[in-house]
Amino acid sequence: MLLVTVKGVSQLLHQRNKPNSKTVRHGFPYQPTALAFDPVQKILAIGSRSGGVRILGRPGVDCFCQHESGAAVLQLQFLINEGALVTACADDTLHLWNLRQRRPAVLHSLKFNRERITFCHLPFQSKWLYVGTERGNTHIVNIESFILSGYVIMWNKAIELSTKTHPGPVVHLSDSPKDEGKLLIGFESGTVVQWDLRVKKADFRIYYDEAIHSVGWHHEGKQFMCSHSDGSLTMWNLRNTTKPFQVTFPHGKIQKDGRKESCKPILKVEYKTCRNSEPFIIFSGGLSYDKAGRRPTLTIMHGKAITVLEMDYPIVEFMALCETPYNNEVQEPYAVVVLLEKDLIVVDLTQSNFPVFENPYPMDIHESPVTCTAYFAECPPDIIPILYSIGAKHKKTGYSQKEWPIAGGTWTLGSHTYPEIIITGHADGSIKFWDASAITLQMLYKLKTSKAFEKPKQGEGRAAELVEEDPFAVQMVSWCPQSRIFCVVGISAHIILYRFSKYDANTQIVSLEVRLQCESEDVISPSENENNPCFTESGSHSPQPHQQHPPSPGSRTPEGNKDSIPCLKVKDRMVRVPPGYQAELVIQLLWVDGEPPQQITSLDVNSAYGLLAFGNCNGLAVVDYMQKTILLCVSTLDLYGAADPYQRLTRSPRRNRQSTSGLTELSDNQQSIDMERSKSPTSVHYPTSLHNDPRVLPEPVASLRASHCSPVFYLLDNVKGPGRKLSLPTDLKTDLDHVNGHCTSPTSQPCSAGKPRVPMGPEGPRLTRRGPGRPPFRKAQSAACMEISLPVSHTEESRENSFSRSRSSSVSSIDRDTKEAITTLQFGESYGRKNDAVPTPCLWVGTSLGVVLLIPMSIPTDQEERMEEPVTIGPSGAVLMLKGSILRFSFLDCMGALLQSPYEVWRDPNAPEDPDRPRKRKLVHFSPSSSQDTCGDGHLAVVCSERQAKVFLMPSQSCLFVHNITESSFVLRADVVSVSNSVCLACFCANGHVMTLSLPSLRPLMDINYLPLTDMRIARTFCFTNGGQALYLSSPTEIQRITYSQEMCDNLQEMLGELFTPIETPEAQNRGFLKGFFGGNANTFDREELFGEAAAGKASRSLAQHIPGQGGMEGMKVAASGVVGDLARARIALDERGQRLGELEERTALMMTSAETFSKHAHELMLKCKDKKWYQF
């Protein structure tokens, strides 16, 4: 009796609403363009070319905002200590962001219609923003209302009337520290004008031959410094502006002929004074042109000392951090923030050697390009501390001892946190483990997979072709947190298995070499091989007959045989490995007949079984990593045996494939298995899938670096593979593209009793294939259902193909280079056949043609027997079918609860032996029959493909539920995850939809059009995890985490940090009577009187358009929900009420003052008129 419960996940986001499901973004802002700092709040803002703004404070305070237009951010201006930020974008729009809420939102926008914005300046404690334009005009914007003032400084008024040329765009605006009523305007051509705002005329004009890039004031306001395009710095004194009183070329040397050598432009200069030392002059650029390839530099001039800091990347912007926000006080700089193209550096100016601060943000995710990601929620609680303790031993030193200066905002751990780990694989072969708990990100541990190999050297035969930039690039990872077994698949067709240890050790890495390659010469002859196991094919068709009796396992093939070597050379000596993950086994695929091995497309490892399985477009291999032997290496075609659902054509019409070939002999000929197990893995010759010679395949499409729909995505666009052929081998680029080109399902008819339906005539729907070079996303436009037809006749043409599928009687075969790839693998306790009474260890195999195979195994249970007795692999059992390439397997009990795969509890392999307590393997099994007392034996198998999901009842193989996920697109990623104490199937489609289905009923719960798939990077890195969370690489340098759980959205407000904290603005220093008298009093300047509507009038409506934002209460309603959102809204309402009460109090005080004045005047009038007669009035 089967009891099926339908568990709906009520806590998923409502599919009709598209809430802000992005939780947090980690990493370095991609393509940064602008930088700003609030010296009172101590928060930093970074703008990017894609319209994003990252606001950073103390660790944990990290917020990402995105302009809806997507226009590049040109400049950022904080309203210092006001909790607001002004952004100027490339679409000539100004935006005012409200930072007093955890999710910042736009309050106002102002779109310029006729002029282009080039520079903005907002004086401290001013509500009037100066905006310079490309035409050379300067406009003034009221920050409170975001309305343009009628006061305009026209370029033709700023320059002399006699000037015949246009001064160029405005590149600098700043108010004089000496007098706020004086505005310094710098034009690109080299013209500098000081404009008197009160009298509306220029005080002085400077004309210089070289273009100006930036200007920096001395705090006293008597002199300023300019940086120029010829690499010079000029100092100007306001007493004499006819020429600079000092011109320096900091990096320009005098040549033999007496001339200065030409230098690069100085793009920015800052002039900061100190109380007890010489001022700091900090600038970027200015190096001479004589040396090509020099690194970008930041130069710090302090007195006579000149320090040049070389940077790894070009400098985008830098900014000195000073103690005071007032520009007319001694600045006292204590640090410099340097924004590079791919890094953020903060230099400590308080120490003479200028050390850098250790960056607490995860800004080095892209240290090497990210090639794969994995996301694990609800990890064992002990795994994060132990990884951190080992990783902390390898941290860099030499950082400044002072605290990180960007320390604004507040953040608490919160109550809704649980251990989460993100794993990133990189192009240089490195692996990084990140602590992702509480929506933060901190690196725990770094592993370098390249240390298992010798460095490739030039001139060593085949290895000379492999010396490329990224031969160790990580393709996929598999991690078991409970057993701490870790597997890495690399682009050079290699797999490394790691075990975790808290102790260092001396070890020798075992190497296994696997021949999993198709060869055109191979012809499977069942009559010759029917007495041999499927992986022991021998005969004259092997290109290396002398390998039948090679040395012991782990030995390498002879150097002289260049066609049977791996891509990389494993270290064959004892090596000292530090604590952490230690390489134990390396498996490599071999070159065959001058062609590189195909990249690995699927992998699974099980610590309880001690087995590792992997596959590619040629076939499947199973390795016993405990005994270091190869159990199975077979082509995809040979996997089926007698259970092949397709009628396939053999190579030779004179011989028919017999039902005893393939895997059937594995259980019948144990003696032969034992003989083969004693041989070297390189000694056996495995049958291949009888595909075509890869050497005759068409040229690959250069832009297509990986198969777009494989469940494991390969390298990113900027990662180069190891060698011309290994970057993606020719046959992999074309074959996987063809295999996954369309949804090739043999099961378009309704599912019944789990029996696969095979079309029996040419009338049935036909199988189509996408030819080489077609765009990868043509799949979304292909037919939804396709079937495989029986071939009509065994013609000579059909014999040229390994298995031919005809559309009709007139069409004999499909493309010659089509292969069936292994797309997903899963170990687990299941029923390999319908008549099985008890579950046994099984390997579930999914292929690119939508076929599911079950391979039962017999594994010794005793620990000693496990190390000595062989693992027996039986013939393939059940065959199930779906539409499209298989993506995911998962198992449920009959109550709908998730069944985990068995695992081995971690034990340290290098721990000292205890004679009283011998170490034994402790296995944890989740048998399907252990919790079936009420509903009988059996379990449910969830299978998801690119187009379809099915739930089967095992062992009867009956199809209980089926759901066609999409007809117009295809699924890129599918995972069975737990959300709110329930289990669901989460899918991400190529059209950008995120969908969830209930289990086991496959009822649609949610369908949100999250984002259009505009970048293959998203497809390669998107992954789900428990708790309704997912992540993807939103840019080459950033990881975006999202949630599709309403509970997570409700708790998000509590988990995010506060950007704004109430801080009193520091008081200005007392300037003294003499300085105030002789230096002018800036406080007498009233901007409202000059720029207000009463004095300046209204600006032209056609010049700029005001756009109201959603940053007030409406924005808060959208950004937050639940109890936390209500509290936040209540707090904002209280703030606004308090502000209104304050305004009311001020108005009341004014009325009282007015009443007192009126009473006084009335009393004076009464005294004056008291003694007068009536006729005296």
Side-chain angles (χ1 to χ4, degrees):
M1 177 181 177
L2 173 67
L3 176 63
V4 177
T5 60
V6 179
K7 292 188 176 181
V9 184
S10 60
Q11 289 295 322
L12 293 172
L13 297 174
H14 198 280
Q15 58 180 342
R16 295 183 181 178
N17 300 325
K18 186 181 177 183
N20 192 355
S21 55
K22 294 182 179 180
T23 54
V24 69
R25 182 170 292 202
H26 303 297
F28 180 78
Y30 184 56
Q31 294 180 332
T33 55
L35 182 70
F37 182 72
D38 188 327
V40 179
Q41 289 289 321
K42 295 191 182 300
I43 55 177
L44 185 79
I46 301 174
S48 69
R49 190 177 300 175
S50 60
V53 178
R54 283 281 291 281
I55 305 173
L56 304 170
R58 68 177 64 249
V61 179
D62 188 343
C63 181
F64 173 76
C65 314
Q66 176 68 44
H67 291 91
E68 292 184 0
S69 64
V73 178
L74 298 180
Q75 199 174 351
L76 300 167
Q77 286 277 326
F78 274 106
L79 276 67
I80 296 176
N81 205 27
E82 296 290 339
L85 175 71
V86 176
T87 59
C89 297
D91 60 350
D92 306 309
T93 306
L94 299 173
H95 303 274
L96 179 64
W97 292 81
N98 178 18
L99 306 184
R100 298 196 178 211
Q101 55 194 50
R102 301 196 183 197
R103 289 282 194 187
V106 175
L107 284 166
H108 301 282
S109 297
L110 188 65
K111 168 72 173 176
F112 280 75
N113 297 322
R114 296 184 302 188
E115 297 198 51
R116 309 216 64 180
I117 299 172
T118 56
F119 197 86
C120 298
H121 171 64
L122 180 66
F124 179 46
Q125 293 181 328
S126 169
K127 67 176 184 179
W128 297 95
L129 174 72
Y130 302 115
V131 181
T133 68
E134 193 174 41
R135 292 186 180 180
N137 302 326
T138 302
H139 300 274
I140 301 171
V141 178
N142 188 311
I143 290 297
E144 294 178 351
S145 61
F146 237 59
I147 295 176
L148 209 59
S149 169
Y151 193 112
V152 183
I153 305 174
M154 304 299 290
W155 67 270
N156 54 353
K157 299 288 183 64
I159 64 174
E160 291 181 350
L161 295 176
S162 59
T163 306
K164 297 181 180 180
T165 58
H166 191 278
V170 175
V171 296
H172 177 80
L173 292 169
S174 61
D175 53 330
S176 169
K178 187 177 179 181
D179 185 355
E180 292 179 352
K182 305 292 180 68
L183 182 67
L184 194 69
I185 307 173
F187 297 94
E188 188 180 57
S189 62
T191 302
V192 180
V193 176
Q194 180 167 289
W195 184 263
D196 191 326
L197 295 168
R198 299 183 185 89
V199 298
K200 299 182 182 181
K201 70 175 184 178
D203 285 346
F204 63 82
R205 299 177 179 91
I206 295 173
Y207 299 97
Y208 196 67
D209 295 336
E210 296 295 335
I212 290 178
H213 286 281
S214 69
V215 180
W217 277 99
H218 188 280
H219 79 275
E220 292 181 352
K222 297 179 181 179
Q223 59 188 25
F224 60 88
M225 178 179 291
C226 299
S227 67
H228 299 278
S229 58
D230 62 345
S232 65
L233 296 174
T234 56
M235 290 279 290
W236 300 83
N237 196 312
L238 267 60
R239 293 181 179 178
N240 182 12
T241 58
T242 56
K243 64 177 181 178
F245 73 87
Q246 184 179 350
V247 180
T248 57
F249 288 82
H251 296 299
K253 299 177 183 177
I254 300 177
Q255 298 176 342
K256 294 181 179 179
D257 56 1
R259 293 185 302 172
K260 291 271 186 181
E261 60 182 354
S262 59
C263 297
K264 298 177 183 178
I266 296 179
L267 300 179
K268 184 178 180 180
V269 64
E270 291 212 348
Y271 188 21
K272 302 298 181 183
T273 53
C274 303
R275 279 191 187 85
N276 302 319
S277 64
E278 295 290 327
F280 280 94
I281 299 173
I282 308 168
F283 62 89
S284 61
L287 293 178
S288 60
Y289 283 104
D290 58 346
K291 293 183 180 179
R294 293 183 65 175
R295 288 184 174 186
T297 60
L298 182 78
T299 305
I300 302 175
M301 300 173 64
H302 190 210
K304 295 182 179 180
I306 300 178
T307 304
V308 179
L309 304 178
E310 289 190 342
M311 303 295 169
D312 294 331
Y313 307 102
I315 297 174
V316 176
E317 175 73 285
F318 74 89
M319 182 172 292
L321 309 186
C322 302
E323 296 288 352
T324 176
Y326 298 94
N327 65 346
N328 56 0
E329 296 180 356
V330 179
Q331 299 297 287
E332 291 291 345
Y334 58 89
V336 177
V337 179
V338 187
L339 179 64
L340 308 177
E341 277 191 359
K342 294 184 179 181
D343 203 358
L344 179 70
I345 294 174
V346 182
V347 181
D348 186 357
L349 292 180
T350 61
Q351 300 183 42
S352 58
N353 59 341
F354 302 129
V356 298
F357 290 89
E358 184 177 8
N359 198 327
Y361 315 124
M363 293 289 186
D364 57 346
I365 292 176
H366 62 287
E367 183 179 18
S368 174
V370 178
T371 55
C372 72
T373 57
Y375 193 6
F376 299 89
E378 301 171 358
C379 299
D382 60 333
I383 190 71
I384 291 179
I386 194 169
L387 284 173
Y388 181 79
S389 63
I390 292 177
K393 299 176 183 177
H394 305 285
K395 282 194 172 183
K396 297 179 182 179
T397 57
Y399 292 110
S400 172
Q401 299 301 314
K402 294 194 174 184
E403 293 185 0
W404 181 250
I406 306 167
T410 56
W411 180 77
T412 56
L413 193 59
S415 58
H416 303 278
T417 61
Y418 41 85
E420 296 183 30
I421 287 180
I422 294 174
I423 300 176
T424 56
H426 299 265
D428 63 352
S430 61
I431 304 285
K432 292 182 181 180
F433 291 77
W434 305 85
D435 178 11
S437 308
I439 70 169
T440 60
L441 198 69
Q442 182 180 9
M443 195 173 81
L444 296 171
Y445 174 70
K446 183 178 180 180
L447 173 67
K448 295 182 179 179
T449 63
S450 59
K451 290 188 174 181
F453 303 97
E454 302 284 357
K455 291 183 178 180
K457 297 180 181 179
Q458 295 282 0
E460 292 188 358
R462 177 69 65 186
E465 300 181 17
L466 303 177
V467 181
E468 283 287 346
E469 291 185 21
D470 305 305
F472 310 108
V474 178
Q475 192 173 329
M476 71 181 89
V477 296
S478 177
W479 186 48
C480 176
Q482 289 79 14
S483 63
R484 302 181 188 175
I485 292 288
F486 186 57
C487 279
V488 179
V489 176
I491 193 176
S492 299
H494 65 272
I495 301 173
I496 311 176
L497 185 136
Y498 291 89
R499 287 185 183 270
F500 187 83
S501 176
K502 295 188 290 185
Y503 305 93
D504 55 359
N506 292 318
T507 183
Q508 184 167 2
I509 303 171
V510 179
S511 174
L512 294 180
E513 295 172 356
V514 179
R515 182 189 178 95
L516 193 61
Q517 186 82 11
C518 60
E519 299 171 38
S520 59
E521 297 88 352
D522 286 342
V523 177
I524 291 184
S525 303
S527 59
E528 297 175 2
N529 298 322
E530 58 187 7
N531 296 325
N532 297 329
C534 70
F535 55 85
T536 60
E537 180 192 7
S538 60
S540 61
H541 300 291
S542 173
Q544 293 92 18
H546 66 275
Q547 281 191 347
Q548 292 182 11
H549 304 285
S552 59
S555 64
R556 297 179 57 84
T557 56
E559 286 285 330
N561 194 343
K562 65 180 181 179
D563 288 330
S564 292
I565 63 170
C567 301
L568 301 170
K569 184 178 179 181
V570 182
K571 291 181 179 178
D572 55 359
R573 62 185 184 275
M574 295 292 291
V575 291
R576 185 76 174 176
V577 289
Y581 274 104
Q582 301 167 352
E584 180 179 293
L585 175 66
V586 175
I587 305 167
Q588 296 189 89
L589 299 185
L590 298 174
W591 283 65
V592 175
D593 201 16
E595 284 294 326
Q598 305 293 346
Q599 292 185 5
I600 296 165
T601 58
S602 55
L603 170 76
D604 192 40
V605 62
N606 189 280
S607 57
Y609 302 157
L611 300 180
L612 182 151
F614 63 93
N616 62 8
C617 64
N618 285 332
L620 169 70
V622 180
V623 174
D624 184 343
Y625 68 78
M626 297 183 70
Q627 298 186 23
K628 310 296 188 295
T629 55
I630 301 173
L631 299 177
L632 179 69
C633 185
V634 64
S635 68
T636 313
L637 177 62
D638 293 325
L639 274 175
Y640 292 100
D644 193 345
Y646 306 131
Q647 180 69 37
R648 306 181 192 258
L649 297 182
T650 57
R651 277 295 178 90
S652 172
R654 299 184 300 274
R655 296 169 179 171
N656 295 323
R657 176 174 297 278
Q658 301 179 10
S659 60
T660 56
S661 64
L663 295 176
T664 310
E665 292 81 329
L666 286 174
S667 58
D668 299 333
N669 194 351
Q670 187 62 42
Q671 182 179 3
S672 177
I673 293 177
D674 294 339
M675 286 178 58
E676 292 300 327
R677 287 171 54 79
S678 64
K679 294 182 181 180
S680 167
T682 58
S683 67
V684 296
H685 305 293
Y686 317 114
T688 56
S689 56
L690 300 183
H691 295 299
N692 306 294
D693 190 343
R695 291 171 295 179
V696 300
L697 293 177
E699 288 297 320
V701 182
S703 61
L704 184 63
R705 294 197 56 85
S707 173
H708 63 280
C709 54
S710 173
V712 179
F713 299 100
Y714 304 106
L715 293 179
L716 299 182
D717 302 333
N718 55 350
V719 179
K720 296 183 179 179
R724 175 182 56 82
K725 295 177 180 178
L726 280 180
S727 62
L728 256 181
T730 303
D731 44 353
L732 180 61
K733 284 187 180 182
T734 54
D735 296 340
L736 276 185
D737 204 23
H738 291 313
V739 168
N740 296 326
H742 288 294
C743 177
T744 57
S745 169
T747 55
S748 63
Q749 301 182 14
C751 183
S752 63
K755 294 183 179 180
R757 297 180 180 268
V758 180
M760 300 304 294
E763 305 84 9
R766 57 191 184 226
L767 174 74
T768 60
R769 279 284 188 258
R770 180 158 50 86
R774 298 280 182 89
F777 287 99
R778 287 291 295 272
K779 171 186 289 188
Q781 305 168 9
S782 65
C785 304
M786 300 175 188
E787 298 190 8
I788 298 176
S789 304
L790 294 175
V792 177
S793 60
H794 292 207
T795 62
E796 191 69 23
E797 181 182 358
S798 65
R799 287 199 300 270
E800 295 295 324
N801 296 280
S802 58
F803 46 94
S804 177
R805 304 170 180 86
S806 65
R807 298 186 179 187
S808 65
S809 57
S810 61
V811 181
S812 60
S813 66
I814 59 171
D815 298 335
R816 297 181 68 239
D817 54 349
T818 301
K819 297 181 182 179
E820 183 177 9
I822 306 296
T823 54
T824 186
L825 297 165
Q826 179 73 51
F827 286 105
E829 300 283 320
S830 187
Y831 302 87
R833 295 174 181 82
K834 289 185 179 181
N835 55 1
D836 286 354
V838 294
T840 58
C842 290
L843 175 62
W844 287 64
V845 182
T847 75
S848 57
L849 294 183
V851 180
V852 178
L853 296 166
L854 272 74
I855 301 178
M857 299 174 292
S858 176
I859 302 175
T861 56
D862 184 74
Q863 182 173 352
E864 295 182 358
E865 292 180 356
R866 178 65 184 85
M867 297 303 298
E868 297 175 359
E869 297 296 325
V871 174
T872 304
I873 298 180
S876 59
V879 178
L880 311 173
M881 302 181 120
L882 282 82
K883 297 178 185 177
S885 178
I886 305 298
L887 298 180
R888 186 65 59 196
F889 297 123
S890 190
F891 310 116
L892 311 175
D893 63 18
C894 291
M895 299 296 294
L898 185 64
L899 287 174
Q900 297 183 16
S901 298
Y903 64 86
E904 176 189 0
V905 178
W906 175 75
R907 55 195 178 100
D908 199 322
N910 299 327
E913 295 285 347
D914 188 353
D916 299 332
R917 299 178 60 185
R919 291 191 297 170
K920 292 184 179 180
R921 296 183 72 208
K922 183 180 178 182
L923 306 181
V924 177
H925 287 271
F926 300 93
S927 175
S929 59
S930 60
S931 61
Q932 309 298 324
D933 299 335
T934 59
C935 58
D937 294 335
H939 73 90
L940 303 177
V942 181
V943 186
C944 184
S945 73
E946 291 177 324
R947 308 296 288 270
Q948 198 176 48
K950 288 186 178 182
V951 175
F952 295 94
L953 174 63
M954 306 300 291
S956 69
Q957 302 175 19
S958 302
C959 181
L960 300 179
F961 302 99
V962 61
H963 179 73
N964 292 324
I965 300 174
T966 177
E967 296 292 340
S968 60
S969 183
F970 56 96
V971 178
L972 289 166
R973 180 77 186 207
D975 283 293
V976 174
V977 295
S978 61
V979 182
S980 303
N981 300 320
S982 300
V983 181
C984 67
L985 175 64
C987 304
F988 175 61
C989 296
N991 58 8
H993 283 246
V994 176
M995 294 181 284
T996 55
L997 305 174
S998 65
L999 289 176
S1001 62
L1002 296 180
R1003 179 166 52 87
L1005 297 174
M1006 180 193 73
D1007 186 353
I1008 293 179
N1009 186 8
Y1010 175 65
L1011 79 167
L1013 187 62
T1014 56
D1015 199 330
M1016 284 297 296
R1017 185 184 304 106
I1018 299 174
R1020 296 185 182 104
T1021 57
F1022 197 100
C1023 53
F1024 293 98
T1025 190
N1026 294 329
Q1029 296 190 83
L1031 66 79
Y1032 60 92
L1033 208 66
S1034 59
S1035 72
T1037 62
E1038 294 170 288
I1039 290 176
Q1040 178 68 60
R1041 291 164 68 179
I1042 66 172
T1043 181
Y1044 50 94
S1045 166
Q1046 188 64 52
E1047 181 182 0
M1048 182 69 176
C1049 279
D1050 292 342
N1051 298 329
L1052 188 59
Q1053 281 295 117
E1054 182 182 346
M1055 300 168 72
L1056 292 173
E1058 289 274 5
L1059 293 173
F1060 178 79
T1061 52
I1063 301 174
E1064 288 190 9
T1065 302
E1067 294 184 1
Q1069 295 178 0
N1070 187 6
R1071 302 182 64 195
F1073 173 76
L1074 292 177
K1075 277 192 176 182
F1077 184 77
F1078 293 105
N1081 189 359
N1083 296 325
T1084 59
F1085 177 61
D1086 187 358
R1087 294 187 177 90
E1088 181 69 33
E1089 184 179 342
L1090 284 175
F1091 305 145
E1093 186 176 333
K1098 292 183 178 181
S1100 172
R1101 291 186 178 182
S1102 61
L1103 183 61
Q1105 177 187 0
H1106 177 260
I1107 305 170
Q1110 298 291 327
M1113 292 295 293
E1114 295 80 11
M1116 179 56 71
K1117 289 176 184 177
V1118 174
S1121 60
V1123 177
V1124 177
D1126 293 337
L1127 291 175
R1129 288 194 293 270
R1131 186 175 59 188
I1132 284 189
L1134 286 174
D1135 290 343
E1136 293 180 353
R1137 182 172 179 267
Q1139 185 177 355
R1140 288 195 295 268
L1141 288 174
E1143 294 174 356
L1144 179 62
E1145 185 178 355
E1146 291 178 0
R1147 287 197 296 268
T1148 305
L1150 288 174
M1151 291 176 64
M1152 290 179 63
T1153 305
S1154 177
E1156 290 178 359
T1157 305
F1158 178 77
S1159 174
K1160 181 180 178 182
H1161 286 304
H1163 183 68
E1164 290 176 352
L1165 184 61
M1166 184 268 295
L1167 292 178
K1168 184 177 179 181
C1169 302
K1170 181 177 64 173
D1171 297 330
K1172 290 186 178 182
K1173 302 297 182 180
W1174 63 270
Y1175 52 84
Q1176 291 179 327
F1177 288 98

